[in-house]
Amino acid sequence: MDILSDYRYKPPKPNYLPHNVEIDEPIVEDYNIPVERANEHENAIFFNKMKRAAHEYDIVRPKGKTVSFHANPEMEKHHFGQTHPMKPWRLTLTKSLVTSYGMTFAMDNYTTRTATYEELNSFHASDYLDYLATAPPEDQPRDVDNPDKEVKFNLGGSDCPLFHGLYDYCSMSAGSSLDAARKICNQQSDIAIAWGGGLHHAKRSEASGFCYINDIVLGILQLLRCYPRVLYIDIDVHHGDGVEEAFFSTDRVMTVSFHKYQPEVFFPGTGGLDDNGPKSEHNQGAHHAINVPLNDGITDEQYGWLFESIIGKTNESFRPSVIALQCGADSLAGDRLGRFNLQVQGHGACVNFCKSLGIPMVIFGGGGYTPRNVARAWAYETAIAIGCQSKIPEVIPAHAPWREHFIHDTIFPTLEQILGEPRANRNTQKRLQEIVMHVHEQLRFVGHAPSVQSRIIPPDLGGIRDDVEARLKEENMEKDELDRKTREEGMGVAMELA
């Protein structure tokens, strides 16, 4: 039986808007691709196939480590516009692979609530949030017919359009990242995954680069309540400017961004090799921003060597207590906007190296504008997080929903399959060695990890509404009962030999 299933969890209730704003009925544009809601029978069949796949591939919970998966399925239904590069449907494809391989049984799975207005307000300005929540959707960006037309807070143009359900979409993304960070803070997880987050360009009062709410900043602020030092790593093809700017003047957050740098023609035009934080040595943030500017065509081998050389030394000098890793998949070969020759294996090697450091870690999504490639990378990196990357077969399971949209039936397509012919590599080994030498020199000024007095834990971000938590607890009772029955079946638990 061919199942066209969008296997989903029970969705949470609508988000809270600012208290003085009326809640509008949520409106979401439909995709051209028919996304049908699976019935109970189809879901039951697919669930049994997930169980069989987990048994067949020996997908079990990692010993001594808890991995959690945080998602809000309602994000998947939103639409930026027919011609816009950002396609939230990539989350549907990612879920298709993760569940089809049976990885769900090796993780704690959370259907996350939307972030409250107060939680968003912990970083973003009130006037910006109020406008984001109340601005009516527009079917066509304002700058299409008039490129010079003014837009408020950079909202309403082709870059950051005002689409239907925008505020809820942003709140869902932030809610997933906050939930992941809180599970790390509560020591309920060692690795927490939030593929719906990673929107690293948004500023305090401005949307930028398809990003409206900076969920990474919100997540790091949460981590700083419980951990003295956070290492932020960004492997998106674009510079992580919003996160770098937010923590520009603190020595408690070290930001490291690997990205294409061609300021005249490539967004956002920042992140040069010499941009290492405040220029004044009296500013605590001096030398705490590391930027790795790259040219078109970098390969897996070059990227892996560069990543390990820089992150290994950064870990040694800064000694972080937790890692926030942004895994933007637009750095993959064949991306609609990216221009690298990275494959899924090379992208995933960065996740594997960070995991090998043995530090608690939040993994965020990010960019990625060819949905099938995004899904491959994030599913593979989920496998790395739970330690089963060598167990899952390269061929995508036959029962995977939307399998035909991957074109090639493997999670590791070759460069020839993706591009036809690899892009010219404009990164010389000499230049890469110069980058490593410069970064190591900057890290020498860091000296030693800063000491942070943590006797008093600061208040949580905007407070968690008791009524939200109580309502979700009640709604999840049925799901908890299903999880209990699944655990009794032994799914996801390594069995001892008789």
Side-chain angles (χ1 to χ4, degrees):
M1 180 178 179
D2 183 25
I3 300 173
L4 291 178
S5 168
D6 61 334
Y7 190 82
R8 67 183 64 207
Y9 301 105
K10 185 178 179 182
K13 300 293 185 184
N15 183 37
Y16 287 96
L17 291 179
H19 304 304
N20 60 345
V21 178
E22 233 176 33
I23 299 178
D24 295 321
E25 193 68 27
I27 301 171
V28 178
E29 292 183 6
D30 293 329
Y31 283 98
N32 288 332
I33 300 171
V35 182
E36 300 175 4
R37 187 184 181 95
N39 59 41
E40 290 186 9
H41 179 65
E42 289 175 325
N43 276 340
I45 293 175
F46 182 66
F47 185 77
N48 286 328
K49 290 187 176 183
M50 288 167 55
K51 287 167 60 176
R52 285 200 296 271
H55 281 304
E56 181 181 349
Y57 308 144
D58 190 26
I59 307 297
V60 297
R61 288 177 175 269
K63 291 184 177 179
K65 192 179 295 291
T66 300
V67 179
S68 57
F69 194 89
H70 307 259
N72 189 322
E74 292 300 292
M75 281 188 69
E76 302 167 21
K77 299 192 300 183
H78 288 78
H79 199 282
F80 280 59
Q82 291 296 334
T83 61
H84 199 283
M86 177 63 86
K87 306 294 183 187
W89 191 61
R90 63 199 183 140
L91 299 173
T92 305
L93 290 183
T94 300
K95 183 174 65 178
S96 166
L97 292 183
V98 170
T99 55
S100 297
Y101 279 114
M103 289 187 248
T104 305
F105 298 110
M107 302 181 286
D108 292 338
N109 299 280
Y110 298 95
T111 301
T112 58
R113 65 171 174 83
T114 50
T116 64
Y117 179 86
E118 290 82 4
E119 287 170 328
L120 302 179
N121 195 207
S122 64
F123 172 63
H124 292 283
S126 296
D127 57 347
Y128 173 68
L129 291 176
D130 291 343
Y131 186 79
L132 186 68
T134 58
E138 299 176 354
D139 293 330
Q140 183 172 343
R142 301 178 190 178
D143 56 1
V144 170
D145 296 325
N146 184 1
D148 298 322
K149 191 167 185 178
E150 184 179 351
V151 292
K152 191 175 183 180
F153 301 115
N154 199 33
L155 291 168
S158 300
D159 183 48
C160 297
L162 291 165
F163 59 86
H164 296 284
L166 172 60
Y167 184 79
D168 274 345
Y169 174 84
C170 296
S171 303
M172 291 172 195
S173 171
S176 295
S177 297
L178 276 171
D179 191 53
R182 286 194 173 108
K183 293 300 185 292
I184 295 291
C185 286
N186 296 338
Q187 298 183 356
Q188 292 175 258
S189 301
D190 299 290
I191 300 176
I193 302 170
W195 293 129
L199 307 178
H200 57 170
H201 293 306
K203 312 299 193 299
R204 182 174 182 269
S205 298
E206 180 183 297
S208 177
F210 318 157
C211 304
Y212 302 82
I213 293 292
N214 201 315
D215 62 283
I216 301 174
V217 171
L218 296 175
I220 291 176
L221 287 172
Q222 174 65 30
L223 294 172
L224 289 173
R225 295 185 61 248
C226 303
Y227 293 95
R229 294 174 301 281
V230 177
L231 173 59
Y232 171 68
I233 305 170
D234 191 316
I235 58 173
D236 195 287
V237 78
H238 301 97
H239 177 227
D241 57 335
V243 182
E244 178 182 298
E245 180 181 304
F247 299 107
F248 198 65
S249 295
T250 178
D251 60 359
R252 293 186 61 195
V253 179
M254 172 79 80
T255 62
V256 184
S257 178
F258 298 78
H259 51 268
K260 174 175 173 170
Y261 182 66
Q262 197 173 357
E264 300 83 8
V265 296
F266 197 74
F267 181 86
T270 54
L273 184 61
D274 294 327
D275 296 331
N276 301 122
K279 299 305 179 185
S280 172
E281 295 294 334
H282 299 291
N283 191 311
Q284 290 181 327
H287 311 291
H288 281 74
I290 301 297
N291 284 298
V292 184
L294 303 170
N295 295 320
D296 291 350
I298 193 166
T299 64
D300 281 2
E301 294 74 19
Q302 288 178 318
Y303 201 95
W305 174 80
L306 195 64
F307 189 88
E308 293 189 18
S309 300
I310 290 174
I311 298 303
K313 187 66 175 178
T314 302
N315 178 59
E316 178 186 322
S317 300
F318 184 61
R319 285 179 279 172
S321 33
V322 64
I323 291 174
L325 175 61
Q326 196 265 21
C327 293
D330 47 6
S331 48
L332 290 170
D335 187 80
R336 184 173 174 182
L337 300 184
R339 293 292 182 270
F340 290 168
N341 283 328
L342 281 188
Q343 295 176 262
V344 169
Q345 300 94 314
H347 202 266
C350 300
V351 178
N352 196 44
F353 182 76
C354 290
K355 180 187 174 185
S356 72
L357 298 177
I359 301 169
M361 178 165 59
V362 180
I363 300 177
F364 302 94
Y369 308 103
T370 304
R372 59 182 177 272
N373 292 339
V374 177
R376 287 185 172 101
W378 289 354
Y380 179 61
E381 285 156 8
T382 301
I384 290 172
I386 60 180
C388 70
Q389 68 269 30
S390 61
K391 298 178 180 180
I392 60 173
E394 293 186 16
V395 176
I396 296 172
H399 61 272
W402 315 109
R403 191 176 188 268
E404 66 276 14
H405 292 284
F406 289 95
I407 300 180
H408 303 292
D409 64 358
T410 174
I411 59 170
F412 299 135
T414 65
L415 284 177
E416 288 70 25
Q417 288 175 314
I418 298 169
L419 296 173
E421 184 177 342
R423 297 186 182 279
N425 187 355
R426 305 187 185 282
N427 299 273
T428 65
Q429 195 59 31
K430 179 182 178 183
R431 176 56 178 165
L432 298 183
Q433 289 172 343
E434 290 173 352
I435 290 173
V436 170
M437 289 176 59
H438 176 89
V439 171
H440 286 191
E441 178 66 15
Q442 290 300 312
L443 291 171
R444 189 173 66 83
F445 290 101
V446 173
H448 61 278
S451 60
V452 178
Q453 194 172 17
S454 299
R455 271 182 285 181
I456 300 176
I457 297 177
D460 201 353
L461 299 181
I464 306 175
R465 294 185 175 182
D466 293 337
D467 57 340
V468 175
E469 299 299 333
R471 188 190 68 217
L472 288 176
K473 185 176 181 180
E474 182 179 344
E475 290 178 357
N476 286 331
M477 286 180 66
E478 292 181 10
K479 183 175 178 295
D480 290 342
E481 178 66 16
L482 175 62
D483 290 344
R484 180 186 66 78
K485 292 178 180 178
T486 300
R487 287 194 296 271
E488 289 176 357
E489 293 180 18
M491 288 301 303
V493 180
M495 298 288 109
E496 294 183 2
L497 296 175

